[in-house]
Amino acid sequence: MSDAIRPQPGILDIALYEGGKAHVAGISNVLKLSSNENPFGPSAKAKEVFLRSVHSLHRYPSTDHAPLRQAIAEVHGLDPERVICGCGSDEIITFLMQAYAGPRDEVLFTEHGFLMYRISALAVGATPVEVPERERTTDVDALLAACTPRTRLVFIANPNNPTGTMIGAADVARLAAGLPPQAILVLDGAYAEYVPGFDAGLALLEGRGNVVMTRTFSKIYGLGGLRIGWGYGPKPIIDVLNRIRGPFNLSTTQLDVAEAAVRDQDHVAKCRAENARWRVWLAEALAEIGVPSDTSMANFILARFADAEEAEACDNFLQSQGLLVRRVTSYKLPHCLRITIGDEASSRRVAHAIAQFKGLR
């Protein structure tokens, strides 16, 4: 290739994103607890709509996503004109970067925040700024101190991935109020549905012009394989994002299945309750054998080991048993393993295996 053909600045600085492991050589029946997937999958109503969608595969989808936006708005009490839909919440993040950040701009996020914040910032030539957390929890004071006249976007996931920790509404409001005037606060609510009674910052958003929220159908709705997300924000910002959104960025199947999923809140409630039950059980079971974790509000726990060597050894042992969890060295947590909350059988199996590794079974 000619030396004159070069990518835009920042792109070659991107480390390729690696998802959770799905396979182990020589083992055919693995238990995947590495990608924070819902063990119960999508609702029966969503599955039914998926099967019916085969009859319209020859038709282009709608360009305005109106039925899905309306369904989201009805369920969450929102203005449908301020909802935008994307290919996972990742695409909404990409839209925000493309529209509001570029060379000489800064994008802030916390030190253990979602890796796509850094990747998406570099992709548009912006400067990613990693801000320290406090005991694996978002530090509002540190974020505010890191802001400069170049700050354009500030991302926090609440609850956070991979730590599972979250901050309260008062801290989020203080962060939004303290940002410089040119900056947008992005509240990543990928795991918001796992927190009972949590509005993911919607009340704050309604009163401010500098806050945007992103959400996903990949977690509690069990639709990770279809890649559907959405965002909500001030009308002027959503109007800007829609100008760069591809007209057919979501298929008819994605739109119809997501609409059925969001309207089935009984399924969401069931998944939330089961997740909470086994999240507490697993955290307590591991704590009893010397593997602590912070209180998680998501569908995983971040298990802490003595050091990186013990975490790696435990991961290798679990893989030998057909159990896949997530190494989080890339998140600057080399001594930890992120473990998705599964059903009862999965939770008991992984707890037993870690106890075996520790020599207690």
Side-chain angles (χ1 to χ4, degrees):
M1 182 182 294
S2 167
D3 288 342
I5 300 176
R6 299 176 181 173
Q8 291 292 324
I11 291 179
L12 291 182
D13 295 324
I14 296 173
L16 293 178
Y17 182 90
E18 293 186 20
K21 270 180 168 277
H23 307 283
V24 178
I27 300 179
S28 58
N29 185 26
V30 300
L31 173 60
K32 186 184 177 192
L33 300 174
S34 57
S35 296
N36 299 342
E37 296 156 333
N38 183 344
F40 304 105
S43 75
K45 294 177 181 178
K47 291 178 184 178
E48 181 182 348
V49 171
F50 177 84
L51 293 175
R52 289 204 308 266
S53 73
V54 69
H55 300 295
S56 58
L57 295 182
H58 59 303
R59 302 295 186 190
Y60 276 101
S62 72
T63 60
D64 64 3
H65 308 159
L68 177 55
R69 289 190 296 106
Q70 184 63 42
I72 291 169
E74 289 177 9
V75 168
H76 295 285
L78 308 177
D79 176 0
E81 295 301 313
R82 295 166 57 190
V83 176
I84 183 172
C85 301
C87 185
S89 55
D90 291 358
E91 190 174 37
I92 310 300
I93 292 170
T94 298
F95 293 157
L96 286 161
M97 294 288 188
Q98 290 175 323
Y100 292 103
R104 297 177 297 280
D105 293 329
E106 294 177 345
V107 175
L108 274 58
F109 49 87
T110 65
E111 68 177 311
H112 304 310
F114 185 35
L115 292 176
M116 287 306 299
Y117 307 149
R118 173 183 292 277
I119 290 172
S120 298
L122 290 170
V124 298
T127 300
V129 178
E130 180 183 293
V131 179
E133 295 180 7
R134 181 179 299 171
E135 295 295 320
R136 297 166 300 279
T137 302
T138 296
D139 186 334
V140 169
D141 292 322
L143 282 168
L144 291 174
C147 288
T148 74
R150 297 171 58 191
T151 302
R152 296 300 304 275
L153 293 164
V154 177
F155 285 86
I156 66 166
N158 204 35
N160 188 43
N161 170 32
T163 62
T165 58
M166 66 181 295
I167 59 174
D171 280 330
V172 176
R174 186 163 64 87
L175 176 58
L179 293 182
Q182 79 283 354
I184 298 171
L185 174 61
V186 184
L187 302 177
D188 182 343
Y191 299 92
E193 285 86 359
Y194 287 103
V195 185
F198 182 45
D199 75 348
L202 286 172
L204 169 69
L205 194 153
E206 293 297 349
R208 302 197 61 88
N210 68 337
V211 182
V212 174
M213 181 191 64
T214 64
R215 301 284 279 272
T216 186
F217 283 89
S218 296
K219 304 306 178 186
I220 205 166
Y221 289 104
L223 295 174
L226 280 187
R227 310 303 302 125
I228 313 154
W230 60 281
Y232 189 69
K235 188 66 163 59
I237 292 178
I238 298 302
D239 284 346
V240 168
L241 302 187
N242 273 317
R243 292 173 187 270
I244 57 177
R245 177 181 63 82
F248 302 112
N249 63 320
L250 289 180
S251 69
T252 300
T253 299
Q254 289 170 295
L255 293 167
D256 292 349
V257 173
E259 181 183 352
V262 76
R263 292 190 184 280
D264 191 353
Q265 289 297 304
D266 288 341
H267 181 72
V268 172
K270 170 194 169 185
C271 294
R272 179 168 48 242
E274 285 298 299
N275 177 79
R277 176 187 177 194
W278 291 107
R279 181 180 61 203
V280 170
W281 183 92
L282 182 60
E284 291 179 349
L286 295 186
E288 288 175 1
I289 58 174
V291 181
S293 59
D294 297 314
T295 299
S296 172
M297 300 305 295
N299 68 335
F300 56 85
I301 62 170
L302 186 69
R304 300 199 306 273
F305 293 82
D307 49 38
E309 289 72 24
E310 186 184 31
E312 180 179 6
C314 183
D315 184 37
N316 290 335
F317 176 78
L318 293 176
Q319 289 187 49
S320 75
Q321 303 300 303
L323 294 165
L324 300 181
V325 299
R326 182 70 180 270
R327 294 281 303 281
V328 283
T329 301
S330 58
Y331 283 95
K332 304 184 185 302
L333 293 162
H335 62 299
C336 299
L337 297 176
R338 193 191 69 190
I339 306 172
T340 302
I341 305 303
D343 57 13
E344 177 178 0
S346 302
S347 300
R348 293 188 183 279
R349 182 177 167 190
V350 73
H352 180 77
I354 294 175
Q356 284 185 306
F357 167 77
K358 299 283 281 186
L360 300 173
R361 292 287 189 275

